[in-house]
Structure formats: C-alpha cells, structure tokens
Amino acid sequence: MEHTKLQCLCLLICSLIVLNGKSVLGGNQTSNENLGMVDLTILESAVSKGAVCLDGSPPAFYYDKGHGEGANNWIIYFRGGEWCYNVIDCLCRTKTEKGSSKLALKQRSFYGILSNNKTVNPDFYNWNRVMVIYCDGASFTGDVEIVDPVTNLHFRGARIFHALIEHFLAKGMKDAKNAILAGGSAGGLPALLHCDRFRALLPNSARVKCLADGSYFLHKKNMKEIPFMDIVNEGLIKLHHSAKMLPSSCIAKMRPSLCLFPQYFQQEIQTPFFIVNSMFDTFQINKTFPGYYEDLNNNTCSATLVKTLQDFKQEFLSALPKQSNCSSSRGMFIDSCLIHSQILSGVGWNGFTVHNKTIAKAFSDWYFDRSPVQLIDTPDMPLNCYKFPSVTSFCT
C-alpha cells in the first residue's frame, strides 16, 4: 500500500513539474532557424568514476561539432529544471530525463546561442556547442558516496560536472582559444559556482567567460514566512551534501544554504561572468508571491500587486553585482520581461532588447571585449515581451 501511495504521489509531482516548465518557459521559438537535429551522446565512461544521474544511469549531452574558424571554440550549456530537495521528489525525477539519461530525448534542435544558423547567431554558430542534460537535481553540486539500497538514489552532480569537462578536454577543448560555460535556470547556477574551476582547466591563453541565464535567484529578506528558495536550499545541502562545492569564503561567513544565492558568492568569482535575467523573473514571482503571476496575466493589477512587484524589482537590482562603466569582468542584460530563461529561445536571443540592444549583441560585445555591457531596463512593471515589437506592460 505504501509503495502504491508513493507511486501516485510521484506521478502527481511529475505532472506538476511538467506543467510548471511549460508555464515559465513560454515555449515560443523562431521558425526561421534552419536547424538540424543534434544526437544524444551517453557518456558511459563516467560510470566508473561514480559520475551518474539520480537513478545511476550515465550522464548525457548533445554535441554539435565546431568547424571553420570556430573549430577551437567551445560553449558548454547546462540545461535547468529546478531542484530535488527531498527523497520523494528525487524518486519522481528518476521517471523523467531530469533524473535518468535513459529517458532523455534521442535528438534535440539547438536554438538561440546554440543555433547553427549564421544569420541569427553570427558569433557562435560554428563553435563546438554542447547541451548537457540536467539529471542530478542539484545544479551539479552533490557528491554523496553512499547509495541508499532502498531508493537507489545517487547524488553525484559534482562528479558529473568533472567527468563531462574531462571528456570535452580530451575531445579538443584543452586547445580551446575561446570557451563559455553557460546554463539556464538551475543549470545556470553551476555556470557561476563552477566558473573558476572551468577556467582553471583551460589554457591560460584562452578567453574563458561564464554566462548565467535566469539563474540570479534572489534571497528575499524580512519575509514573515520561510521563502521557498530557503526551504529548497536547506534540503538540497542536506540531501546532496553540496556544501563542499560552494565557495569556502562564503560558507565561512554564513550558513551554506545561503551560499547557493548568487548575491552572496558572486563577488568571490574571479573569472568574468555575464548575467541575463528579468527583474520580474516568472520563476521568482511564482515561488515568492503565489497567485500574482495569474493576476498579471489576467490584468488584475491591484495596488498591492503593483507595490509588491516594484519593491521586488528594487531589491533584485540592489543584489546585482556593483555596476561600473569601465568594468569588463561583470556583464549584465537585465530586462523587464515576464519570463524565465531566454538565451535558448530564438525570440529571446535575438528579439528582446534593452536600450536597443538584443541579448545576442550585448553578450557578444561583452564576450569579445568590444565594450563593457551592463544593461538594465527601466520599466516599473513587467512587460509582455512575446508581443514585441509592440511591447506592452502587464499592468497599465
């Protein structure tokens, strides 16, 4: 009976995860990108290193080989998908690609920054482009040696990261001239946490930078209730033993769960990094203010909602890295779109703008040292950016 209840609960949770993914990602893609399908690669050799997904299956990725002038350049992109911070949720994930490479799609199309279309992605279209599936549930930070014989859950995200990077180094990344460690949502967090580790493994002569999309999760202070992210982070640290992968200087000053918030560890990152984020990120709005996302879509804009979102905006902006007109080590593209994660969408990468610059143009200018880029949008309320070029506010 208990086993049946557990299965039913897992099915319910999985359904909610799928629905949530659809609601926050938008799902709009451009139709003019001439993209081939990229095959899934299972990294069987990682198993001997203990680098496995939640269910013990090998890690996996999609790889499109670079060519021409991009042959020695690499983008490693980590997919996202929230976190599993309790046993029930982690068991549920083993029934999806979020916990098992056995269930990953055999092929995927690459959009946005991973597109092979020169017209829409002129700076990176011919690079070696990798998309890593997210199957550890802890932003590639966990490392627990013991496997529970009852659940057979493996918490080995940190080992997955190292095994994958070792593989790509052997495949030619050790000679990289340019490299980017990137990711979206929960997959963008390791792009920040592992940024310096990634830099240390590449040639000193290489241009190496990191990119986090929809991953600058805000720690809300002075809330009456315990915020969702605090609950997640505490559970994640305890279950996955993630503390040892966090910046030591941060955990020396505060409890480890806080050191999963970029605002508390970003100053310790030595490698240049770039943040793409909405100041009204739908994941944050959904989790911090339940019900407000639906109110916005229904144009039910009460005075309380307006003030709450404006206060949230100010708190988010104050948590960002300090701005400087001459700094090239910290780049940012902060828009007002009611959206979560943008650079893998053709629409987001080439459509959304801040001060007349697209994400693609802003990031490229920063990455190639053409100019410092610290773009922050000005609207007080979130915008419906999927209606561009006539972008409208949700609350008017």
Side-chain angles (χ1 to χ4, degrees), residues 202-263:
L202 290 161
N204 291 333
S205 59
R207 180 190 284 114
V208 181
K209 301 185 181 184
C210 303
L211 169 60
D213 174 25
S215 311
Y216 206 87
F217 305 110
L218 178 68
H219 178 231
K220 284 254 335 137
K221 304 172 184 176
N222 303 320
M223 291 187 72
K224 293 181 181 179
E225 68 277 10
I226 300 176
F228 170 79
M229 286 294 294
D230 287 82
I231 297 172
V232 170
N233 289 4
E234 289 286 356
L236 189 149
I237 293 290
K238 182 178 180 180
L239 189 62
H240 295 261
H241 295 189
S242 298
K244 52 192 167 184
M245 295 304 295
L246 304 181
S248 57
S249 57
C250 181
I251 61 177
K253 294 181 290 187
M254 58 188 71
R255 64 180 188 271
S257 61
L258 289 177
C259 296
L260 283 164
F261 290 104
Q263 70 201 80

Side-chain angles (χ1 to χ4, degrees), residues 220 289 292 303-313:
K220 284 254 335 137
F289 311 110
Y292 278 18
T304 300
L305 183 150
V306 171
K307 184 179 187 309
T308 297
L309 292 185
Q310 289 177 347
D311 289 346
F312 179 84
K313 168 190 171 180

Side-chain angles (χ1 to χ4, degrees), residues 57-203:
S57 61
F61 57 89
Y62 304 89
Y63 170 53
D64 200 6
K65 186 175 177 60
H67 59 89
E69 294 182 355
N72 288 325
N73 301 330
W74 290 75
I75 298 177
I76 310 297
Y77 179 92
F78 290 100
R79 288 176 58 80
E82 297 193 46
W83 306 268
C84 68
Y85 54 100
N86 58 57
V87 170
I88 295 294
D89 189 21
C90 292
L91 280 173
C92 173
R93 283 172 178 254
T94 63
K95 310 303 179 185
T96 74
E97 76 167 19
K98 292 181 181 179
S100 176
S101 61
K102 298 174 184 177
L103 301 172
L105 294 176
K106 301 306 179 187
Q107 292 183 318
R108 284 188 183 274
S109 290
F110 281 5
Y111 293 94
I113 193 173
L114 296 182
S115 171
N116 67 355
N117 187 317
K118 184 177 181 179
T119 301
V120 300
N121 193 28
D123 288 301
F124 310 111
Y125 76 98
N126 60 353
W127 285 30
N128 294 279
R129 286 157 291 114
V130 179
M131 178 192 288
V132 178
I133 72 164
Y134 178 47
C135 66
D136 76 296
S139 293
F140 300 92
T141 62
D143 192 0
V144 180
E145 180 65 33
I146 298 173
V147 178
D148 188 330
V150 176
T151 64
N152 194 42
L153 286 172
H154 298 69
F155 304 113
R156 305 281 183 78
R159 299 190 195 189
I160 292 176
F161 172 81
H162 289 295
L164 287 168
I165 299 305
E166 286 177 7
H167 174 77
F168 299 131
L169 288 170
K171 291 296 182 181
M173 195 169 69
K174 63 180 176 58
D175 299 317
K177 294 180 179 178
N178 295 285
I180 299 169
L181 184 66
S185 189
L189 192 56
L192 296 175
L193 288 170
H194 293 308
C195 188
D196 288 340
R197 294 185 182 94
F198 183 68
R199 162 71 273 185
L201 294 170
L202 290 161

